[in-house]
Amino acid sequence: MLDTGPWLQAAAALAAVLGLIWLAARALAARQDAAARPGRRLALVESLALDPRRRLLLIRCDGRDALLLTGGTEDRMLGWLPPEQGP
């Protein structure tokens, strides 16, 4: 006769891990929904790692885009980008 105890324990552990993955996915989706809320003034548009310490960030603030360089010895604002013009 087979002992079902280890099989039930393994199934319960698998169910717990799958539940945690599902909860993490829901939390990530809620976080992304919160980041896309209307009325927010500041948003990270894009990020580019230049090396292990430095990162180039494109941010949007009040409808204008700015370029930031972070890391290294100090952080710098490289400037505001001109607004995009339509065709």
Side-chain angles (χ1 to χ4, degrees):
M1 188 157 145
L2 291 174
D3 185 18
T4 58
W7 288 102
L8 289 176
Q9 187 177 9
L14 178 61
V17 168
L18 291 175
L20 288 173
I21 291 172
W22 180 77
L23 285 174
R26 296 278 303 202
L28 183 61
R31 181 177 169 209
Q32 288 175 346
D33 288 344
R37 282 191 318 229
R40 293 192 60 121
R41 296 181 57 205
L42 186 64
L44 176 64
V45 177
E46 195 169 336
S47 173
L48 175 67
L50 300 175
D51 59 37
R53 294 185 64 199
R54 295 182 305 152
R55 184 171 293 274
L56 191 60
L57 304 172
L58 178 62
I59 64 163
R60 181 165 292 136
C61 180
D62 291 334
R64 294 182 62 199
D65 292 340
L67 206 53
L68 303 175
L69 179 65
T70 62
T73 56
E74 62 183 45
D75 298 337
R76 292 186 179 260
M77 179 172 178
L78 301 178
W80 293 97
L81 298 177
E84 292 182 15
Q85 296 179 354

